[in-house]
Amino acid sequence: MRYSHMLGRTLRDAPAGSDTTSAALLARAGFVRQLGAGIYSYLPLAQRSIAKIAAIIREEMERIDCHELSMPVVQPADLWKETNRWYEIGDELVRLHDRAGRDMVLAMTHEEVATDLVRHDVRSYRQLPLAFFQIQSKFRDEPRPRAGLLRGREFLMKDAYSFHTDRADQQRFYDACHRAYLRAFARCGIDVLVVESAAGIMGGEGSHEFMLEAEAGEDVLYICPNCDYAANREVAATTVHWQDEPLGEPELVETPDAKTIEAVANYLGVPVARTVKAVFYDADGRFVFV
């Protein structure tokens, strides 16, 4: 293969509008070309890189008995109406009509199709557990596409779906996927942080994200330096620790001009966590103390 015969010349300067270093370097090195807001063509160098990453992902997923298939990007809206996500998801979901006037969607994810496949093909619990994955294009009409490939509208996603007879088996496979992802990242030379996260439009519970520290990132992570707790700010739980102390005698204390808990705590020189605020309400004629 000759580089001189390959599409994708290098650029002296980054294209106008490159808002991150990664986006500028990918364009300058001849890996990608932007077609529209959040929409990119992957040139031969990028495609070769993607193929190597995809090969690693395939090996690690097949290692845990998760097999590859491919599901349609354009889907009948009836499935999305059945799960109610046709109504719950906003403008990120692209809605369209086919020539017969039927409602269709441009898939941003494939839970509906995956579940439809299983409900038609699986006839007995003895066929479970069952797991499959795909490496497929997705489209989400992001309101603010930015940072090159980091927040695009059309993107390549590896998504996996599994079906089980009970929670214990589901958790077993979830843990197996967790380990497979860590192996895949390690083989790519990426040191990731695993944090608790919100499930978002996918729904469900017990979600984790594999994060990489970057100045261009949009998420804030809370990481405990003394234990293994790490979470996205969206779902981070805060815990206040203090030593038990013997109760003293009740004492009347003046707190002039201190109208908030923080002001009272600062005035008395005590932590906010060691204060209690009492509020009285008249709730529908009943006296309520909170």
Side-chain angles (χ1 to χ4, degrees):
M1 181 183 67
R2 293 184 177 182
Y3 182 75
S4 59
H5 292 170
M6 186 182 297
L7 178 66
R9 61 186 177 86
T10 57
L11 305 176
R12 183 182 301 274
D13 300 309
S18 299
D19 56 354
T20 60
T21 302
S22 59
L25 291 176
L26 283 171
R28 289 185 60 196
F31 277 66
V32 301
R33 289 292 182 264
Q34 185 171 3
L35 180 63
I39 304 174
Y40 289 83
S41 295
Y42 301 118
L43 302 186
L45 288 177
Q47 192 62 31
R48 289 170 66 87
S49 300
I50 291 171
K52 292 178 181 179
I53 296 169
I56 291 173
I57 292 172
R58 288 186 174 98
E59 289 176 8
E60 294 300 338
M61 295 311 294
E62 290 170 359
R63 181 174 170 182
I64 60 172
D65 206 22
C66 187
H67 305 288
E68 186 174 11
L69 49 65
S70 182
M71 293 175 277
V73 176
V74 178
Q75 305 172 4
D78 289 346
L79 288 176
W80 291 73
K81 292 176 181 178
E82 186 176 348
T83 62
N84 217 42
R85 296 208 294 182
W86 170 269
Y87 311 102
E88 294 173 348
I89 298 176
D91 293 337
E92 294 86 357
L93 179 64
V94 176
R95 298 163 172 84
L96 61 148
H97 299 94
D98 65 11
R99 64 192 303 165
R102 290 182 290 259
D103 289 331
M104 309 291 285
V105 304
L106 204 55
M108 58 166 56
T109 182
H110 280 75
E111 283 85 6
E112 278 78 5
V113 175
T115 305
D116 187 65
L117 280 173
V118 171
R119 73 177 172 183
H120 286 102
D121 267 44
V122 174
R123 297 302 181 188
S124 168
Y125 70 91
R126 293 183 178 87
Q127 294 174 257
L128 302 178
L130 190 65
F132 48 84
F133 76 97
Q134 65 174 352
I135 299 175
Q136 173 69 282
S137 292
K138 302 287 193 294
F139 193 94
R140 297 179 189 174
D141 199 1
E142 292 280 357
R144 295 181 298 104
R146 61 175 298 275
L149 304 183
L150 292 181
R151 183 179 285 279
R153 292 197 293 166
E154 181 179 334
F155 53 93
L156 197 62
M157 177 194 284
K158 173 265 160 190
D159 44 328
Y161 306 89
S162 66
F163 299 82
H164 307 268
T165 55
D166 55 53
R167 285 271 186 162
D169 191 59
Q170 179 193 45
Q171 187 62 49
R172 175 201 61 78
F173 184 74
Y174 188 91
D175 294 340
C177 282
H178 187 121
R179 294 189 294 270
Y181 293 166
L182 288 177
R183 289 193 299 268
F185 282 120
R187 291 176 63 181
C188 292
I190 300 174
D191 187 16
V192 295
L193 295 168
V194 184
V195 301
E196 295 180 10
S197 66
I201 61 172
M202 304 303 173
E205 58 188 51
S207 179
H208 290 85
E209 291 175 326
F210 295 77
M211 308 288 277
L212 182 67
E213 291 186 62
E215 292 182 4
E218 297 179 341
D219 291 286
V220 175
L221 309 181
Y222 289 166
I223 301 171
C224 177
N226 300 317
C227 66
D228 59 358
Y229 180 79
N232 193 301
R233 179 171 58 181
E234 296 176 343
V235 299
T238 57
T239 305
V240 178
H241 300 280
W242 63 80
Q243 293 181 344
D244 289 333
E245 298 176 7
L247 292 175
E249 291 296 321
E251 180 183 355
L252 191 63
V253 179
E254 295 286 342
T255 56
D257 299 322
K259 299 180 180 180
T260 65
I261 289 178
E262 289 78 7
V264 171
N266 291 335
Y267 181 79
L268 298 177
V270 298
V272 170
R274 298 197 67 81
T275 66
V276 176
K277 184 174 183 177
V279 182
F280 300 89
Y281 292 102
D282 178 3
D284 298 327
R286 297 179 59 206
F287 182 69
V288 179
F289 170 53
V290 180

